[in-house]
Amino acid sequence: MAQAAVRVEVAAAVTHPEGHVVYPVKVSALSAFGDVWELQKRYSELSALNDDLKKRFPHSPLPVFPRKHNVSKYLRHESEDEFLEERRAQLEKYLQTLVQLQFVQDDPQVRSFLEIDKHAVDPKAKAKSVIATCCEAIREMLAGDTRTPEVELASASGIAGSAEARKEAAEMEKARQQRAAEREKLRQKYNLPSI
């Protein structure tokens, strides 16, 4: 399966109703279809991901993860908001650098953490789906009309032999033949079998 490359942005921290802080993480697939989705991640979840990656890839170059600040956050920042903004920027830089690494892009646990396979569309699979949908629509169109103009007109008007009915039937037959000719052109253009 082709792997979807992604871009990651971290929005301003939000205080969850339960009291903890979450970071909205916007993930964008860099495919032709540009799928975008948002996740809510806590610092502890991102830290656990980093710890897991360090254990599984001990000799691989991983970006530096932002440290957890305890007392020092109050010494370096004038407000909680200032601290959270600095952490947001650090987490964004960490994630942006992380998803640039090919071994990380291919890692099933990272893909699951960022919900890539759930949201991102493989361009080849999407193209196949679009082509299949178009082919089905063409097949239905090529199946064409099964009712003759005379039967259609007679059932609609209740008169089957008048001059007016014959004239309308002739016009409908001409339109049916034009549609049949268009279907035949499409059949030949797309090398489709006769139905």
Side-chain angles (χ1 to χ4, degrees), residues 121-142:
V121 176
D122 176 11
K124 289 180 183 175
K126 180 74 169 187
K128 287 179 184 177
S129 173
V130 169
I131 290 169
T133 302
C134 289
C135 287
E136 184 59 31
I138 290 170
R139 279 191 200 94
E140 288 175 11
M141 190 176 76
L142 291 176

Side-chain angles (χ1 to χ4, degrees), residues 19 36 47 62 69 71 85 101 146 159 176 182 187 194-195:
V36 178
S47 179
L62 292 170
H69 300 287
V71 177
E85 174 53 28
L101 303 171
T146 56
I159 50 173
R176 188 189 67 74
E182 290 172 11
R187 185 179 293 128
S194 296
I195 297 176

Side-chain angles (χ1 to χ4, degrees), residues 20-144:
H20 59 268
V21 173
V22 293
Y23 293 90
V25 178
K26 180 177 150 187
V27 185
S28 307
L30 300 178
S31 69
F33 300 101
D35 297 341
V36 178
W37 60 99
E38 189 172 290
L39 311 166
Q40 299 285 322
K41 297 294 183 182
R42 295 177 71 170
Y43 174 87
S44 59
E45 293 174 295
L46 293 160
S47 179
L49 173 68
N50 181 65
D51 292 344
D52 178 62
L53 289 171
K54 286 194 311 190
K55 287 177 190 168
R56 291 187 303 118
F57 302 105
H59 302 295
S60 298
L62 292 170
V64 176
F65 188 77
R67 293 181 328 146
K68 182 172 180 83
H69 300 287
N70 295 331
V71 177
S72 67
K73 78 177 182 182
Y74 297 107
L75 300 175
R76 292 185 47 223
H77 302 93
E78 291 184 18
S79 70
E80 181 77 10
D81 290 341
E82 188 180 300
F83 164 73
L84 291 174
E85 174 53 28
E86 182 179 308
R87 178 177 274 177
R88 181 212 62 80
Q90 291 171 345
L91 289 171
E92 183 174 78
K93 182 178 179 184
Y94 169 79
L95 286 171
Q96 287 176 347
T97 306
L98 189 68
V99 298
Q100 297 299 315
L101 303 171
Q102 188 63 46
F103 72 93
V104 171
Q105 288 179 23
D106 296 337
D107 183 64
Q109 289 176 329
V110 172
R111 295 179 71 76
S112 174
F113 183 83
L114 294 175
E115 298 181 6
I116 293 171
D117 295 328
K118 181 178 176 183
H119 296 282
V121 176
D122 176 11
K124 289 180 183 175
K126 180 74 169 187
K128 287 179 184 177
S129 173
V130 169
I131 290 169
T133 302
C134 289
C135 287
E136 184 59 31
I138 290 170
R139 279 191 200 94
E140 288 175 11
M141 190 176 76
L142 291 176

